[in-house]
Amino acid sequence: MAVNTKTSLKKRDSDLANINKQMAILNGEPFSNGELPSFAKKIKDTTDQFPLRPKKLEIIQVNVGYMCNQVCAHCHVDAGPDRKEIMTRETMDKIVNVIKTTGAHTLDLTGGAPEMNPDFRYFVEQASAAGIKDFIVRSNLTIIRANPKYHDLPDFFKKHNIHVVSSMPHWTRGKTDTQRGDGVFDKSIKALQELNERGYGMPGSDLRLDLVYNPSGAYLPGDQASMEKDMKAALLEDFNIQFHNLFAITNLPIARFLDYLVASENYEDYMYALVDAYNPAAVENVMCTNTISISWDGWLYDCDFNQMLDLKIDNKIQHIDDYNEDLINNRKIQISQHCYGCTAGAGSSCQGVVA
Amino acid sequence: MYENRLAVVERFFYALMNKLILVTKNIIMDKTYYDPKDLRKFGKITEWSEELGTKFFDYYGQVFEEGELTAREKSLIALAVSHAVHCPYCIDAYTGDALKRGITKGEMMEAVHVAGAIQAGATLVHGVQMMNKVNKLEM
Ligand code: SF4
Ligand code: SF4
């Protein structure tokens, strides 16, 4: 079913804008009636990882706001132009202080479209001066072409040696546009070409450009390596575009993707598919085991998905104001049935497969 | 008070409607040979004959592995054959598999046409038998 979402769930005043309703679905059938095992039971029965706990902190993922120039049908953030949740400079400064002392090697900025935060450039400058090995910005590509004030982003990224990670769901026009909205494809292609011109994504270049692929519908991604091969060949042949790696990411049943699954009567089949594809070997490397996620208003979460479900970390410390890496690393991770999205097949995380 | 009673009546009718929909659904389900949910239970065939079932699934798994044909090519063949053997479970399964592999709608439909063309050809080539028979019988 082609879903053209024009507004966020929040703006539509949809039932699922209410997080409790989302949790009720995830805790309901086919789990509540025992047809499928809960995620907790599954990992208890098949691994020695229960309760799930973090290992060494490697990645700090910061969500600088839910505002976005796009309204993708699969978005787990329910992002869109109408979302007003935006990180302030004050919170950014607190995060910069954390970066100065953290043991993590990667800072990962996400949103929404992070570039739409009015203090985005300020934050990038401060954070990169604070020193971090790998500095990722998740850019949806079209933002670069959305408005003249963003046209210089490729140069800005290059100046700060930003590692750009961008979404490119499918290399045929139709698929990208049903998932992400009309015109997304052409703008994305143009943006990729501009990044390539600056040296991003070129073979041997230190300017990293990775692409993210999400399925545009109620199915799981295929094998990451073969999709990468196909996508590289097609983008090179059709548009002379190059990139480094492809991350195949499973859509998690949260926010707009959950809404789509329910509305298209695919929810139950999708959950069965996730549970069927459950891979115990993926559990020990799920993203929350090496990541901490910080929301626009400074709350701490196990991952960006838990952030959207408002499942704050299970710890005395829950906010950036009281940040203490040793203390927060000693916690149990908050899990629910959406976690099956991270353990299907070769596993899935913001850095692609994990097993 | 009046409004309250109205709400009760409304709720009653709502519940009744839901019940009716459920009953109708069940009747329809009971009278249908194919239930999409049965595909999920495919693995259970081993429960009544473990050895043969397991052998079948091992064989099946191996057939679809990357070989001299790519897994992608095999998926398209399976999609075409699913149509030729009129198996709704297989059509569901291999349509999903094709999407997963990034196979385009155009490629999928072309594969179905291959199955269709072979089936049409198989029917029409028997026309030769008919012609032979007519030629033999007629003076
Ligand atoms: S998926 Fe990304 S680009 Fe699309 S609406 Fe959500 S945040 Fe924006
Ligand atoms: S959804 Fe979050 S908490 Fe659950 S397994 Fe994935 S990363 Fe961990």
Side-chain angles (χ1 to χ4, degrees), chain A residues 171-235:
Chain A
W171 58 94
T172 60
R173 196 171 304 225
K175 277 211 168 162
T176 309
D177 286 348
T178 28
Q179 188 185 39
R180 299 194 163 247
D182 293 343
V184 167
F185 186 80
D186 291 332
K187 282 190 196 142
S188 304
I189 291 296
K190 181 91 184 52
L192 285 173
Q193 285 165 338
E194 286 182 13
L195 286 164
N196 274 176
E197 275 165 29
R198 309 298 189 288
Y200 267 105
M202 303 309 278
S205 168
D206 287 339
L207 294 168
R208 304 281 314 163
L209 171 63
D210 296 326
L211 297 187
V212 164
Y213 163 84
N214 291 87
S216 39
Y219 50 92
L220 309 186
D223 173 61
Q224 179 170 286
S226 55
M227 300 217 70
E228 179 180 290
K229 209 171 105 214
D230 287 353
M231 205 180 235
K232 277 196 168 167
L235 283 179

Side-chain angles (χ1 to χ4, degrees), chain A residues 23-42 253 258 267-276 336-341:
Chain A
M23 288 308 295
I25 293 176
L26 292 171
N27 290 322
E29 291 182 9
F31 298 97
S32 59
N33 59 3
E35 265 185 45
L36 290 178
S38 68
F39 186 71
K41 178 163 178 7
K42 190 77 173 179
L258 179 60
Y267 173 72
E268 205 177 296
D269 279 336
Y270 193 73
M271 295 316 281
Y272 265 90
L274 287 181
V275 176
D276 260 0
S336 181
Q337 282 48 264
H338 63 293
C339 297
Y340 273 117

Side-chain angles (χ1 to χ4, degrees), chain B residues 3-43:
Chain B
E3 266 181 18
N4 263 351
R5 233 179 295 152
L6 205 66
V8 170
V9 173
E10 227 175 69
R11 232 180 297 136
F12 174 75
F13 273 106
Y14 188 71
L16 195 73
M17 287 278 283
N18 270 337
K19 188 80 195 155
L20 268 174
I21 292 171
L22 208 77
V23 170
T24 325
K25 254 194 190 160
N26 283 342
I27 292 172
I28 295 170
M29 288 299 232
D30 284 348
K31 292 203 168 153
T32 309
Y33 282 100
Y34 289 117
D35 178 355
K37 285 189 181 142
D38 283 345
L39 178 57
R40 294 174 196 151
K41 301 183 196 147
F42 190 16

Side-chain angles (χ1 to χ4, degrees), chain A residues 68 70-72 74-75 79 111-112 140 180 256:
Chain A
C68 191
Q70 296 188 176
V71 196
C72 305
H74 69 283
C75 184
N140 69 33
R180 299 194 163 247
R256 284 209 289 273

Side-chain angles (χ1 to χ4, degrees), chain A residues 62-73:
Chain A
V62 179
N63 194 317
V64 297
Y66 304 157
M67 188 186 277
C68 191
N69 59 319
Q70 296 188 176
V71 196
C72 305

Side-chain angles (χ1 to χ4, degrees), chain A residues 39 52 252 254 286-289 302-306 333-336 338-343 348:
Chain A
F39 186 71
L52 198 57
L252 262 65
I254 297 176
V286 283
M287 189 164 62
C288 48
T289 58
D302 302 297
C303 66
D304 201 55
F305 303 116
N306 283 3
I333 290 163
Q334 302 260 36
I335 53 173
S336 181
H338 63 293
C339 297
Y340 273 117
C342 295
T343 55
S348 174

